[in-house]
Amino acid sequence: MQTAEQTKDESLVWRTARIPVKHWGRGVDAIDQMHPDVQAVVEGFINTWRQRYIPLDSTMAQLPEDRSFVGKGLLLFGNAGTGKTTTASAILTTIRRTYGAVVFFVPFADYVQALIDHRNMRDLYQATGDEYAREKFLALQKLLDKVLTCALVVLDDMGKEHHTSSGFAADVFDALIRGRHRNGRPTILTSNNKPGDWDKVYNASMQSFITEACEVAAMAGRDHRRA
Ligand SMILES: Nc1ncnc2c1ncn2[C@@H]1O[C@H](COP(=O)(O)OP(=O)(O)OP(=O)(O)O)[C@@H](O)[C@H]1O
Ligand SMILES: [Mg+2]
């Protein structure tokens, strides 16, 4: 039995990680009926975590012999209601509990919007000296830094963000996923788009890179919401 204080402490972890409240405290063990193929990929991800995430202050001796997992994340794709967000949240929870890693959850559309707001608030503050704009700018800066530097990040609902002709979302995604991968920080992506369609949603080079940066798990089966 947990004390009220412990419960409060744990809620702080999940709140800070921005995990959807519905999934707070539920690790992968709490998911029933996970497809065996998905389960194998998920368990493999968790068990090889120390080969995937390389803290920036690692010494040579701490680097894994096998470098093929370094910075390697997961792409969970499938139709609506197949449990992508649930599974991604559960992996964050289990990685946090097992390894104490700093984890973070963000819908990708929110990340793109935060980048736009960050730029606008900076411009507004520079033009007018408005204090609210400065505070908002600094708060957004913190959020953006977290997404870049946390040990493990979920980018939820890739492809649902607003797309402009300038290809802003594609560029943002490209920079983020390449930067995290380069620095030994895995990323979990969820999407309705199958990997073969990523050239249409983003671009051909991103489609190619994603297969290097992520293992792929197909979330098949029925829509749990209709069940
Ligand atoms: N293994 C499961 N068993 C029973 N219910 C589940 C399971 N996985 C997810 N659910 C429930 O099904 C619903 C949909 O799950 P979830 O939000 O994870 O789907 P999703 O694939 O992210 O959907 P979307 O594409 O719309 O974002 C939720 O209410 C969730 O709690
Ligand atoms: Mg979802």
Side-chain angles (χ1 to χ4, degrees):
M1 180 80 179
Q2 284 192 319
T3 65
E5 190 51 40
Q6 279 170 333
T7 310
K8 189 170 144 222
D9 279 349
E10 241 214 352
S11 75
L12 186 61
V13 172
W14 314 129
R15 185 180 295 107
T16 309
R18 294 210 185 195
I19 291 175
V21 63
K22 178 174 185 175
H23 303 306
W24 282 7
R26 300 264 172 94
V28 293
D29 296 347
I31 302 183
D32 42 42
Q33 303 172 340
M34 200 188 291
H35 189 282
D37 294 349
V38 175
Q39 191 170 355
V41 174
V42 168
E43 281 175 3
F45 180 87
I46 290 162
N47 293 337
T48 54
W49 172 251
R50 290 200 197 283
Q51 286 156 262
R52 293 174 189 267
Y53 170 57
I54 312 297
L56 269 188
D57 59 356
S58 298
T59 62
M60 288 305 289
Q62 288 167 326
L63 283 182
E65 192 61 39
D66 176 2
R67 305 278 172 91
S68 60
F69 286 115
V70 171
K72 198 150 185 148
L74 274 184
L75 164 60
L76 305 173
F77 76 93
N79 294 335
T82 48
K84 301 179 295 295
T85 301
T86 304
T87 306
S89 301
I91 298 170
L92 287 185
T93 302
T94 297
I95 290 288
R96 166 74 197 200
R97 282 202 179 124
T98 311
Y99 300 101
V102 181
V103 300
F104 200 66
F105 179 105
V106 67
F108 184 61
D110 290 8
Y111 177 73
V112 174
Q113 189 59 49
L115 274 169
I116 295 167
D117 293 346
H118 178 254
R119 199 176 47 191
N120 289 342
M121 289 300 145
R122 184 202 56 199
D123 292 351
L124 183 62
Y125 173 65
Q126 284 178 349
T128 66
D130 183 271
E131 266 309 305
Y132 169 80
R134 181 171 170 277
E135 271 169 34
K136 191 91 188 134
F137 165 77
L138 292 174
L140 287 162
Q141 179 76 52
K142 260 193 187 167
L143 172 95
L144 297 173
D145 286 347
K146 260 194 172 172
V147 177
L148 273 178
T149 61
C150 273
L152 182 61
V153 166
V154 168
L155 302 179
D156 196 38
D157 273 336
M158 295 290 319
K160 285 220 183 125
E161 70 283 354
H162 178 59
H163 282 250
T164 58
S165 55
S166 69
F168 181 67
D171 291 348
V172 163
F173 175 49
D174 193 300
L176 177 59
I177 191 96
R178 282 183 202 272
R180 288 189 51 86
H181 183 258
R182 189 168 53 239
N183 289 308
R185 296 170 185 145
T187 308
I188 298 176
L189 312 170
T190 81
S191 182
N192 290 151
N193 299 106
K194 45 183 185 296
D197 290 341
W198 280 50
D199 57 340
K200 294 191 243 352
V201 184
Y202 297 104
N203 52 52
S205 90
M206 211 54 241
Q207 172 165 339
S208 151
F209 183 70
I210 210 71
T211 53
E212 186 190 332
C214 292
E215 275 166 72
V216 174
M219 306 289 296
R222 67 209 161 98
D223 182 341
H224 288 296
R225 294 195 187 99
R226 287 165 190 264

